[in-house]
């Protein structure tokens, strides 16, 4: 997580890094407009593999994934710890309760599916899997998914160099410019192991969807500040990084094609209560 002047480094485990976890609401509207949605085929597969239409969206943010499930005919309740994100989601038609998943009180409510789109790393993995089982109906589905996206090396390298320059003490600055897909796949395999260890689910499955999206310079510079490594930087630090990345995209003709992979770990709750 970024180590900023006058702040203490946050814990190494993402779910303990609450300042970063709840920093995305700094510009919730930009987040909502710039972040990509999820493959329609993935949404349809989760809906078809669930016993009914009631969905709980853990860490719903501004409701990007939730709206896709609503469009697929589901009744969705969002849980979101950042009130700024929750407020925007509510204005877009999503019922939201402000809480972390760990602290949220279900009050006897149960669901056909529990989803977590780009958010499960902010949840205590042990507590989260057990709580998901508690609020799922028999044969209900837990689906944890998120994007892996790596810009072309011509964009990634200038970004990494600028980040190291403006935030040299940040763990993000010490990461390579591009990381193999296998690293992310290993993370989702670890999630599967944690689900398996609860003893409350059938054997988890790993799903993968590959797709592409074209970005103009302005579109990419709009999305970049919504990513976790940048949400807590000072404006001068952010502007230096955006300037370097913008020049790199200009050198490619003002646009580039992003190769996305959406990974999912999903499991069905065992039928016995």
């Amino acid at each position: 997580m970024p180590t900023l002047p006058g702040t203490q480094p946050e814990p190494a485990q993402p779910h303990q890094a609450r300042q970063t976890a709840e920093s995305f609401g700094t510009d919730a509207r930009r987040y909502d407009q710039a972040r990509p949605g999820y493959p329609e085929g993935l949404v349809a597969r989760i809906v078809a593999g669930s016993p009914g239409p009631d969905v709980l969206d853990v860490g719903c943010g501004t409701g990007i994934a939730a709206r896709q499930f609503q469009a697929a005919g589901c009744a969705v309740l969002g849980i979101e710890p950042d009130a700024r994100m929750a407020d925007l989601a509510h204005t877009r038609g999503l019922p939201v309760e402000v809480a972390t998943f760990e602290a949220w009180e279900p009050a006897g409510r149960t669901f056909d599916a529990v989803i977590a789109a780009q958010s499960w790393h902010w949840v205590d993995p042990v507590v989260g899997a057990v709580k998901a089982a508690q609020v799922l109906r028999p044969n209900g589905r837990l689906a944890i998914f998120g994007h892996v996206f790596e810009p072309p090396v011509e964009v990634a390298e200038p970004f990494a160099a600028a980040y190291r320059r403006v935030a040299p003490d940040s763990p993000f600055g010490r990461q390579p410019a591009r990381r193999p897909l296998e690293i992310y796949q290993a993370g989702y395999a670890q999630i599967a192991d944690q689900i398996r260890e609860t003893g409350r689910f059938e054997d988890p499955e790993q799903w993968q969807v590959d797709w592409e999206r074209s970005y103009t310079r302005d579109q990419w510079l709009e999305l970049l500040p919504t990513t976790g490594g940048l949400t807590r930087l000072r404006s001068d630090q952010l502007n230096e990084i955006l300037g370097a990345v913008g020049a790199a995209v200009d050198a490619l003709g003002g646009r580039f094609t992003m190769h996305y992979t959406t990974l999912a770990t999903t499991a069905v709750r065992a039928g016995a209560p």
Side-chain angles (χ1 to χ4, degrees):
M1 312 305 165
T3 303
L4 305 182
T7 67
Q8 295 297 317
E10 290 200 80
Q13 294 298 317
H15 70 274
Q16 298 173 328
R18 299 315 308 171
Q19 289 182 329
T20 299
E22 296 172 30
S23 68
F24 298 95
T26 301
D27 193 343
R29 192 163 299 279
R30 169 183 272 180
Y31 184 103
D32 190 66
Q33 293 173 347
R35 285 289 188 113
Y38 298 88
E40 294 295 341
L42 176 66
V43 173
R45 189 174 180 184
I46 295 169
V47 172
S50 303
D54 296 329
V55 174
L56 180 69
D57 186 352
V58 175
C60 67
T62 60
I64 293 171
R67 292 194 294 271
Q68 292 184 255
F69 280 84
Q70 287 176 321
C74 296
V76 185
L77 172 65
I79 305 298
E80 171 55 45
D82 189 325
R84 299 164 299 182
M85 303 282 271
D87 286 346
L88 194 149
H90 184 73
T91 66
R92 300 290 300 274
L94 178 67
V96 185
E97 297 180 8
V98 179
T100 63
F101 186 47
E102 297 92 328
W104 174 69
E105 291 293 339
R109 292 169 290 181
T110 57
F111 301 85
D112 298 301
V114 173
I115 66 170
Q118 209 84 7
S119 63
W120 195 252
H121 50 291
W122 303 122
V123 176
D124 183 308
V126 176
V127 175
V130 170
K131 191 158 190 175
Q134 292 171 343
V135 300
L136 277 169
R137 294 167 186 154
N139 301 312
R141 181 174 294 277
L142 173 61
I144 297 163
F145 52 94
H147 301 313
V148 178
F149 55 96
E150 297 288 355
V153 65
E154 296 89 346
V155 176
E157 290 287 358
F159 167 81
Y163 199 104
R164 286 192 293 269
R165 190 165 60 248
V166 305
D169 296 329
S170 168
F172 286 98
R174 295 194 291 270
Q175 294 176 354
R178 304 178 87 241
R179 289 180 288 175
L181 176 62
E182 289 77 14
I183 292 177
Y184 300 94
Q185 290 171 327
Y188 277 83
Q190 184 177 25
I191 292 171
D193 290 339
Q194 292 160 343
I195 293 171
R196 196 176 286 114
E197 288 168 3
T198 68
R200 304 184 185 198
F201 291 89
E202 297 178 7
D203 200 46
E205 300 176 13
Q206 304 282 3
W207 299 348
Q208 178 173 324
V209 182
D210 297 304
W211 52 288
E212 293 183 345
R213 177 170 174 176
S214 178
Y215 283 95
T216 65
R217 177 187 189 276
D218 289 346
Q219 287 171 332
W220 187 240
L221 296 188
E222 188 72 7
L223 184 149
L224 206 52
T226 74
T227 58
L230 301 184
T231 53
R232 297 182 60 218
L233 294 180
R234 299 190 312 264
S235 60
D236 61 312
Q237 293 173 310
L238 177 61
N239 289 336
E240 184 170 343
I241 291 172
L242 295 182
V245 173
V249 179
D250 285 341
L252 294 176
R255 67 185 313 124
F256 65 92
T257 298
M258 177 77 77
H259 299 281
Y260 277 93
T261 296
T262 302
L263 298 175
T265 295
T266 179
V268 172
R269 180 183 178 272

